[in-house]
Amino acid sequence: MFKVGVRYCGGCNPRYERDGLVEYIKEKLKQVDFQIAKEGVIYDALLVVSGCTSMCVSFEQFQSKKGIVKVNSEDDKDEAVNSLLMLMEG
Amino acid sequence: MLMTGDQYIESLRKLKTRVYLFGEKIDNWVDHPMIRPSINCVAVTYDLAHEPQYQDLMTAESELIGERVNRFGHIHKDTEDLKKKVKMQRLLGQKTASCFQRCVGMDAFNAEFSTTYEMDKKYGTEYHKRFVEFLKQVQKEDWTVDGAMTDPKGDRGLSPSQQRDPDLFLRVTERRPDGIVVRGAKAHQTGCINSHWHLIMPTISMKEEDKDYAVSFACPSDVEGLYMIYGRQSCDTRKLEKGADIDLGNRQFGGQEALVVFDDVFIPNEYVFMDGETEFAGVLVERFAGYHRQSYGGCKVGVGDVIIGASALIADYNGVSKASHIKDKLIEMTHLNETLYCCGLACSTEGYPTEAGNYQIDMLLANVCKLNVTRLPYDIVHLAEEIAGGIMVTMPSEQDFRSKMVVGRSGETIGDIVNKYLAGSPLATTENRMRVLRFLENICLGASAVGYRTESLHGAGSPQAQRIMIARQGNIESKKQLAKDIAGIKE
Ligand SMILES: Cc1cc2nc3c(=O)[nH]c(=O)nc-3n(C[C@H](O)[C@H](O)[C@H](O)COP(=O)(O)OP(=O)(O)OC[C@H]3O[C@@H](n4cnc5c(N)ncnc54)[C@H](O)[C@@H]3O)c2cc1C
């Protein structure tokens, strides 16, 4: 199963519902195993969820084989789904 | 090449810019007493770039031309650049106590840089390449560029294509193989006459039927068909009074706005950066406005510093500086002013890279910054007026102060009488007391109030525009959840 590590920012002043957005993506990609990212685990892809455009979240400590998808607003949700699909295919 | 202030002023003389003022064509507008203070003000942005103690803020290393350029022509490459921009603006506000006019161009460059990149990505156009070539010219020549967004707009309830007069929003009237012809006007243009070039952007989001209005381009100030009608400022004709000095409040510096008219102007393709891509009109507007709302967290703060200084001075000169309520008012003014600075820096610190690679400010915080700017400067001038006293607006003129006409029983001149009755604390001469009072009058309700008050309110968009942006990003739903969690509400 394609494994995606989810990394959240600290969420001090999120401009949208970060959980809701992740739920939306999970709903669209039922075939994917989403897990909260942990150091030392190698994921197929990383989903970095930032509450605003500043993207202050650190994610360099996590490893992924195929790539990283970043979201920082509600508008990114469909693009994130597409990007993850592309990583799955690629 | 970094120009000096003098070189900048000389470069303006070489242009054939068409300027109208009081119903007449002004040929030597560079030396016109009503216009010159605004030119001096822009010249400071050039001079300070040569002074070692200001260079870190005033200049930046351009990745486009591999040279050090004036920061006003720079593309922000990180959040440090965004912060230094705000700091530079505060510095210039302090040095001029006026609108130094060059920010609109800088904000337009950065908005165009990312928007043209994204347009090209979507439509396969070559706007970004064209824009970068134009910007390289700007940096090499160290030009001042007017960032022109606001159209006259006619009936505010109607879209561009619905207006009774189709020219009320600037539009493309003809498309030729080698370029476009544009007609219309841009209103309230800051520093437009003092600019070498103009960078035109649409003023609002647009729909498909407004295609001809979704246009962005650059042109020289003296291009065939372009002319400008000078905007009046409160008390502006004081500048025409012979030997005027004290009564001007700020003799050397001032702001400038004018109506820029495009009377069927031909724009070659190489300077066209948007033509019909309605979907991106709103993006460009939002980005430019975002940067410009950040700008006010710097420039108005610098002017505020001078106002606070002038208020403290007049308190000294009036002999009230030890009064606790005066001290408290100065603290309040500082608090208000630094609040604006905090906002300018905060939206910069939280900046982020665009797809094109340049840095954009945090939109929510920039809009909060500007919404504060629509209010706090009014509070600051209120306090300044309160400290200054009524004499700020009832004082006899400089001519009276200098008059040798004998009017008193003991042979006193008008000047003697003014000197006697306008004296304050022994700390100051009457002349110096008058000078600081006139400075405050100028900034609170004279020519400089255009920049410090009404521009703070409407410049970069009226308050409602900021409220809309704040509403979009305020995320009230998640705040409701926070309250529910704390209050123990389970639904
Ligand atoms: C000193 C100064 C310098 C400036 N410099 C520049 C510059 O260099 N470049 C530039 O491009 N622009 C510049 N501006 C223009 C500035 O961006 C505009 O003033 C601002 O966008 C408001 O537009 P307006 O003045 O036409 O006011 P209006 O649009 O007439 O607004 C007046 C009021 O009506 C409301 N309103 C307007 N339309 C609607 C609507 N459809 N629905 C509901 N309410 C509405 C507004 O919220 C506001 O309260 C400058 C302005 C000033 C005052």
Side-chain angles (χ1 to χ4, degrees), chain B residues 439-483:
Chain B
F439 168 80
L440 286 168
E441 181 201 26
N442 177 51
I443 203 92
C444 293
L445 44 83
S448 291
V450 172
Y452 193 65
R453 291 174 59 126
T454 317
E455 190 188 345
S456 291
L457 189 60
H458 287 293
S462 309
Q464 190 57 20
Q466 285 106 69
R467 288 178 176 281
I468 291 167
M469 291 297 289
I470 290 170
R472 263 203 243 158
Q473 297 180 79
N475 198 6
I476 300 293
E477 284 310 312
S478 96
K479 290 180 172 108
K480 277 196 216 166
Q481 191 56 49
L482 293 175

Side-chain angles (χ1 to χ4, degrees), chain B residues 104 146-153 156-158 186-191 201 203 256-257 288 292 296 450-451 454-456 458-465:
Chain B
V104 273
D146 164 36
M149 177 162 280
T150 315
D151 291 275
K153 298 186 296 211
R156 271 66 175 152
L158 300 176
K186 291 288 179 184
H188 324 278
Q189 292 310 301
T190 294
M201 300 161 282
T203 200
Q256 173 193 91
E257 297 79 27
F288 168 77
H292 212 46
Y296 286 178
V450 172
T454 317
E455 190 188 345
S456 291
H458 287 293
S462 309
Q464 190 57 20

Side-chain angles (χ1 to χ4, degrees), chain A residues 12-17 52-56 72, chain B residues 350-352 362 364-365 472-473 475 477-479:
Chain A
C12 68
N13 186 10
R15 313 289 158 81
Y16 65 101
E17 278 303 321
C52 75
T53 47
S54 82
M55 271 274 169
C56 66
N72 59 32
Chain B
E350 294 290 279
Y352 65 98
D362 180 289
L364 174 62
L365 301 187
R472 263 203 243 158
Q473 297 180 79
N475 198 6
E477 284 310 312
S478 96
K479 290 180 172 108

Side-chain angles (χ1 to χ4, degrees), chain B residues 53-68:
Chain B
Q53 66 269 45
Y54 303 123
Q55 264 169 1
D56 185 53
L57 291 184
M58 294 301 307
T59 64
E61 199 63 35
S62 165
E63 286 175 357
L64 298 180
I65 64 167
E67 284 173 29
R68 232 173 151 75

Side-chain angles (χ1 to χ4, degrees), chain B residues 324-342:
Chain B
S324 64
H325 80 98
I326 298 287
K327 284 186 196 157
D328 198 49
K329 287 187 172 66
L330 292 171
I331 293 168
E332 180 66 10
M333 291 168 86
T334 307
H335 163 238
L336 294 168
N337 204 40
E338 298 297 341
T339 300
L340 300 179
Y341 194 47
C342 293

